[in-house]
Amino acid sequence: MKEQLKIRFKNFALSVIKLCETLPRRNSTFTISNQIISSATSMGANYRAALRGRSTAEFLSKLGIVEEESDETLYWLELIVESGLANSEQVDPLWKECNELLAIVVSTINTTRKNQKTSKS
């Protein structure tokens, strides 16, 4: 599962990069493209860092960053559609995948916290 998620995060980031390459060249596009590429690539990088965490606290901290970056990526996807830079058909698959990855990360955080409390009891 961990290896599959690493691949999903990387493929998601690559898909975001490809989307940005298709956007019209405008001043606003450069800012949005830079921001979404940064947040989308950070998701996978921090997930990998979480897997190398030396403690549960470090693992949870890195997953918290993944959660934040995922939410930020969703924001930029919304702006891309609502500003007319891309249509929803182009963005919807990315939106869906980002939401799925976010749900997995949130579930992992919650399960880890629950297990951490249970082991302390």
Side-chain angles (χ1 to χ4, degrees):
M1 178 71 166
K2 292 175 186 176
E3 288 302 314
Q4 291 173 336
L5 276 176
K6 283 168 57 173
I7 292 167
R8 282 181 71 179
F9 275 112
K10 184 188 285 185
N11 287 338
F12 175 73
L14 291 169
S15 294
V16 167
I17 292 167
K18 289 176 186 172
L19 171 69
C20 289
E21 293 298 320
T22 69
L23 298 177
R25 301 288 178 215
R26 298 183 195 154
N27 288 338
S28 59
T29 308
F30 295 115
T31 300
I32 292 171
S33 291
N34 288 338
Q35 294 286 36
I36 194 170
I37 288 171
S38 177
S39 62
T41 55
S42 178
M43 290 166 58
N46 280 290
Y47 177 74
R48 291 170 68 120
L51 295 179
R52 291 188 308 273
R54 294 168 292 208
S55 67
T56 303
E58 189 175 346
F59 177 74
L60 288 170
S61 175
K62 292 295 183 182
L63 283 185
I65 295 169
V66 177
E67 180 181 9
E68 291 170 8
E69 296 292 343
S70 300
D71 187 59
E72 182 179 334
T73 300
L74 289 170
Y75 172 77
W76 295 119
L77 289 171
E78 287 174 17
L79 281 182
I80 287 170
V81 172
E82 292 175 20
S83 67
L85 292 172
N87 62 48
S88 60
E89 291 82 29
Q90 292 171 280
V91 174
D92 282 349
L94 294 174
W95 177 267
K96 181 178 183 278
E97 179 66 357
C98 192
N99 268 308
E100 287 179 13
L101 291 168
L102 177 56
I104 291 167
V105 168
V106 169
S107 177
T108 303
I109 290 169
N110 292 337
T111 301
T112 304
R113 285 183 180 149
K114 181 181 173 187
N115 291 342
Q116 193 176 31
K117 288 178 185 177
T118 304
S119 68
K120 289 181 180 180
S121 301

